[in-house]
Amino acid sequence: MTHPTAGPTPGYQRPRRARFMSVANVVIRQVLRLPFPTPLSGSLMLLSFTGRKSGRTYHQPVSYVRDGAVLLTPGGGRWKLNLREDQPIRVRLRGRDVWARAEFIRDADEVERTLLKMVALNPRVASFVPIVGQRGEVDRAKLQDAISHGFSIIRWHLDLPDRAGARGQA
């Protein structure tokens, strides 16, 4: 009997999209680190945070939609497990370092409202959030299932640009 946390079985291959994204993220990280805005930085930002268990520094590119003074990110990956709402992290946004605090939205009604707002602001969100249908509608059953498996929306509250050097995490 195998242990549920054991690694993948022999012969297992990650899905093609996951393999592609791991390679693409290497290039995307470099582009997002540039000291000026790029076409990618209009919809992607680079998060820098420390792993809670490993202590390792991670640089995770994520999509965002600007909603007034906050940024909204779909949080479906494991990377978000390293974030804490009370601890700001460094974010590379349009060529500049800023500090941001994460606020997790986990209530199904609020997640649905926020997702609909994100799709209205950027229709491409529907193409990579599988609980949003082709016409921009949210599939409530898929939404409930996704939330039960840890999906959330992250509302990023931005602080002032980083002018004084390290103020927290990498």
Side-chain angles (χ1 to χ4, degrees):
M1 184 164 141
T2 60
H3 191 276
T5 59
T9 57
Y12 170 82
Q13 286 191 341
R14 288 176 34 200
R16 181 180 297 168
R17 181 179 173 114
R19 289 192 315 266
F20 170 78
M21 287 310 297
S22 67
V23 172
N25 278 346
V26 172
V27 175
I28 291 169
R29 281 183 193 96
Q30 294 305 315
V31 172
L32 293 176
R33 283 186 175 120
L34 293 171
F36 49 84
T38 67
L40 280 180
S41 66
S43 61
L44 295 174
M45 61 184 176
L46 187 65
L47 308 178
S48 297
F49 53 88
T50 302
R52 292 202 308 190
K53 290 183 181 179
S54 68
R56 200 176 130 201
T57 299
Y58 292 94
H59 303 285
Q60 179 69 39
V62 298
S63 64
Y64 72 91
V65 173
R66 184 176 290 278
D67 182 27
V70 298
L71 306 176
L72 303 170
T73 299
R78 292 182 56 176
W79 57 268
K80 73 180 180 311
L81 300 174
N82 289 302
L83 303 177
R84 291 180 34 185
E85 290 188 83
D86 62 343
Q87 190 170 9
I89 66 166
R90 186 174 301 180
V91 175
R92 188 74 171 171
L93 180 65
R94 300 194 49 75
R96 298 187 66 185
D97 285 336
V98 296
W99 290 92
R101 289 171 283 110
E103 173 192 352
F104 293 94
I105 302 171
R106 295 185 176 104
D107 174 74
D109 293 332
E110 184 65 15
V111 169
E112 181 175 8
R113 276 192 297 276
T114 307
L115 268 176
L116 291 172
K117 180 181 271 191
M118 292 171 71
V119 170
L121 292 168
N122 180 2
R124 290 185 50 214
V125 169
S127 69
F128 58 85
V129 178
I131 58 180
V132 179
Q134 292 179 346
R135 295 182 304 275
E137 77 285 358
V138 173
D139 181 318
R140 193 63 184 210
K142 287 183 180 179
L143 172 65
Q144 292 288 359
D145 188 49
I147 290 172
S148 73
H149 286 90
F151 180 80
S152 63
I153 299 293
I154 302 171
R155 182 180 291 134
W156 296 97
H157 299 274
L158 301 177
D159 291 334
L160 296 173
D162 179 28
R163 298 177 197 275
R167 189 179 109 186
Q169 296 186 30

